[in-house]
Amino acid sequence: MEDAMIKRSKLFGTKTRVTFSIPADEPSGVVSVVGTFNDWQPGTHEMQVRKNGTRTVSVPLEPGDYQFRYLATGGVWFDDPEGNELRL
């Protein structure tokens, strides 16, 4: 997934908003971001299609180390090109 992107924005206090972004049309179907921050539960952080041609979801996270992957319809797992770990 070459066009995947992760953006970090500081929030009030210690939290950081992490926005995950992928192309709107690849892969097809519903895509969730799953990881240690949501106990690997599909659907908790489902990505939404945006007008700019992407799908995104934002997750407020405390400082720490996290692992994550993307899960698409049909049980298709895929990785972020920058890796599957976040350090905040």
Side-chain angles (χ1 to χ4, degrees), residues 4 12 25 27 40 45 50 55-56 59-60 69 79 84:
F12 291 110
D25 56 354
W40 298 95
H45 294 103
R50 307 294 178 204
R55 278 182 278 193
T56 66
V59 182
R69 292 187 79 197
D79 299 323
N84 296 325

Side-chain angles (χ1 to χ4, degrees), residues 18-87:
V18 179
T19 302
F20 299 87
S21 177
I22 63 171
D25 56 354
E26 182 189 338
S28 62
V30 176
V31 176
S32 293
V33 177
V34 293
T36 54
F37 50 82
N38 62 17
D39 293 326
W40 298 95
Q41 293 297 312
T44 302
H45 294 103
E46 191 174 294
M47 302 185 91
Q48 302 297 314
V49 176
R50 307 294 178 204
K51 291 179 182 177
N52 67 0
T54 65
R55 278 182 278 193
T56 66
V57 67
S58 294
V59 182
L61 297 173
E62 292 287 349
D65 294 329
Y66 301 94
Q67 283 87 40
F68 72 95
R69 292 187 79 197
Y70 299 101
L71 178 60
T73 299
V76 177
W77 290 91
F78 60 100
D79 299 323
D80 193 275
E82 299 295 316
N84 296 325
E85 295 187 13
L86 287 172
R87 174 168 280 166

